[in-house]
Amino acid sequence: MELRHLVAFVAVAEELHFGRAAKRLHMAQPPLSQQIRQLEKELDVQLFERSTRSVRLTSAGDSFLEPVRQVLEDLDVAVRVAKSAGRGESGRVSVGFAGASSHSAVPRLARAVRAAHPGIELVMHGQTYSNRALDRVVEGTLDLGFVRLPVTQPLVDSRVVYEEELVCALPADHPLAARERIDVADLAGEPFVSFPANAGSSLRDAMVEACAGAGHYPRVVQEAPDSYTILAMVATGVGVTLTLSSVMHIQQPDLVYRRLRGEPVVLRTALAWRRDNPSAALRSVLAVSAEVLPSPGSPQGG
């Protein structure tokens, strides 16, 4: 059964006149009549009662009309959805993120995408730490991930969206809290609170690297899945931690932040995506992200 046969049937059923239906379809009457005969032959039912003066639907034709209208309407919707998706106006984009530092960037991006492209659904995957987010982008199970630089995978493109500095968080009554700045070497032997070792946290990697550069390895006594819990543990005296300047807005009683001595350790967060990802919706999200999460130093970023 061909689509043109269904279109022809609806036209004749609504006009109840082969001449007017042919004009409506921008075709000659004989081919239209032939299409109706072909349809009736395929269905093995008579759809119209014809005479020299009138055309009427048979009971079979009347029963057939509404389902055919629904089929054509559904097809029209499918075509419009496909065209919309092809233009990047609709679709689904999965986003992986983790950490308190992304908790301001992610809502800003989500609000902007909803405003610019209501047909695009952002599927959020929290607790997806940087290294794991990058792995999933490479695997193709995430469209977009908040990751730390460097990004060295050849199939992945990235764009820096913000920069953060490594700082120390410690209990307010800790002896080192009296100092304006802290040397990482002075944290040797201190109990540390950090993200899980196997979670793919680039912040934990940066903490270990900073301590190793100062001649010691952090003695992690407690792990937690997010910065809020880690900082709460620090405030209660469980240990100290190296965290990011972007979380310094998290204020708790008995918790203080101190900058580190020496050259600042800067961590750069980027959005990463596969270069060969064919999703037009992803391209639309990336365009929005360039507006609301501009790269540091860009005109938008000041």
Side-chain angles (χ1 to χ4, degrees), residues 143-156:
D143 294 310
L144 195 60
F146 282 82
V147 305
R148 302 285 184 192
L149 294 187
V151 175
T152 58
Q153 284 78 355
L155 292 176
V156 176

Side-chain angles (χ1 to χ4, degrees), residues 79-103:
V79 169
R80 285 189 278 112
V81 167
K83 288 182 176 180
S84 176
R87 294 191 297 265
E89 296 171 354
S90 65
R92 303 178 73 190
V93 175
S94 54
V95 182
F97 65 96
S101 57
S102 63
H103 286 183

Side-chain angles (χ1 to χ4, degrees), residues 45-274:
V45 297
Q46 185 177 347
L47 298 172
F48 297 98
E49 292 180 356
R50 308 162 177 86
S51 72
T52 55
R53 292 189 172 185
S54 66
V55 175
R56 292 191 306 166
L57 282 166
T58 64
S59 59
D62 188 57
S63 299
F64 191 50
L65 180 57
E66 283 308 314
V68 171
R69 280 177 172 155
Q70 188 62 55
V71 167
L72 295 179
E73 182 179 333
D74 290 345
L75 179 60
D76 181 62
V77 169
V79 169
R80 285 189 278 112
V81 167
K83 288 182 176 180
S84 176
R87 294 191 297 265
E89 296 171 354
S90 65
R92 303 178 73 190
V93 175
S94 54
V95 182
F97 65 96
S101 57
S102 63
H103 286 183
S104 62
V106 170
R108 204 182 328 158
L109 176 61
R111 285 193 297 269
V113 169
R114 279 197 303 270
H117 303 287
I120 293 179
E121 177 188 3
L122 291 185
V123 183
M124 300 300 190
H125 296 265
Q127 299 294 320
T128 307
Y129 298 99
S130 174
N131 296 338
R132 181 56 185 146
L134 185 56
D135 288 343
R136 290 190 60 187
V137 167
V138 173
E139 294 166 2
T141 57
L142 270 183
D143 294 310
L144 195 60
F146 282 82
V147 305
R148 302 285 184 192
L149 294 187
V151 175
T152 58
Q153 284 78 355
L155 292 176
V156 176
D157 281 339
S158 63
R159 182 179 64 80
V160 176
V161 291
Y162 49 86
E163 297 176 339
E164 303 166 279
E165 183 181 336
L166 204 62
V167 298
C168 182
L170 62 166
D173 60 357
H174 194 285
L176 294 176
R179 301 184 184 180
E180 186 177 343
R181 288 181 178 265
I182 292 176
D183 195 316
V184 178
D186 294 334
L187 299 175
E190 292 284 343
F192 276 76
V193 185
S194 184
F195 291 97
N198 60 352
S201 167
S202 59
L203 176 53
R204 174 154 179 156
D205 293 344
M207 181 187 75
V208 171
E209 185 176 342
C211 290
H216 66 96
Y217 190 87
R219 181 170 61 90
V220 177
V221 298
Q222 187 72 49
E223 296 178 335
D226 60 82
S227 292
Y228 295 95
T229 306
I230 289 172
L231 294 173
M233 290 182 178
V234 171
T236 59
V238 174
V240 303
T241 194
L242 294 183
T243 187
L244 298 167
S245 53
S246 60
V247 307
M248 292 174 67
H249 67 280
I250 302 175
Q251 297 294 326
Q252 298 188 37
D254 304 318
L255 174 70
V256 297
Y257 300 96
R258 294 292 181 264
R259 302 279 180 178
L260 302 178
R261 290 186 183 278
E263 190 72 21
V265 178
V266 176
L267 278 71
R268 294 175 174 84
T269 295
L271 284 173
W273 62 94
R274 277 187 68 112

